Amino acid sequence: MSDVIEKAVETLNGKIDGGFDGVAKFVIEDEGAIMVDSEGAHAGDAEAEVTLTASLDTFRGMMEGDLNPTAAFMTGKLRIEGDMGKAMQLAQIFT
């Protein structure tokens, strides 16, 4: 597991209180993927209800609170495939 993915998993687990109701995947371009589910965040690349794809800079901006996920999506910096309702639930993690 890359240092980037390891740090992202740690940060996400700090933001998720009690896991996530569903299965989501964050794909960080050129780094790897993170799964978020009822057990929290962990490195992995499995099927998910929603997949969010972004560059490392975009992901970092969202994690640090410098970039609103909705704004990232509207400007094309964040791509979402799958259940938009689940994506909206995930957006709450970053606010």
Side-chain angles (χ1 to χ4, degrees):
M1 173 170 35
S2 78
D3 290 342
V4 169
I5 297 297
E6 188 173 310
K7 177 118 174 80
V9 166
E10 182 180 317
T11 302
L12 277 170
N13 277 322
K15 291 181 176 284
I16 299 170
D17 186 26
F20 175 69
D21 182 27
V23 180
K25 177 169 42 175
F26 285 101
V27 177
I28 303 173
E29 295 170 342
D30 301 322
E31 295 294 338
I34 301 164
M35 302 301 298
V36 179
D37 57 26
S38 62
E39 310 230 344
H42 54 90
D45 190 7
E47 290 293 317
E49 294 171 271
V50 62
T51 300
L52 298 92
T53 304
S55 69
L56 176 57
D57 287 341
T58 297
F59 184 77
R60 186 177 288 135
M62 291 188 312
M63 294 296 290
E64 293 173 354
D66 297 331
L67 179 60
N68 180 290
T70 302
F73 175 71
M74 297 302 282
T75 59
K77 294 179 180 180
L78 174 66
R79 292 182 307 285
I80 301 172
E81 296 177 25
D83 188 331
M84 289 301 282
K86 295 293 181 189
M88 297 294 284
Q89 288 176 357
L90 278 174
Q92 295 174 5
I93 293 170
F94 299 103
T95 58

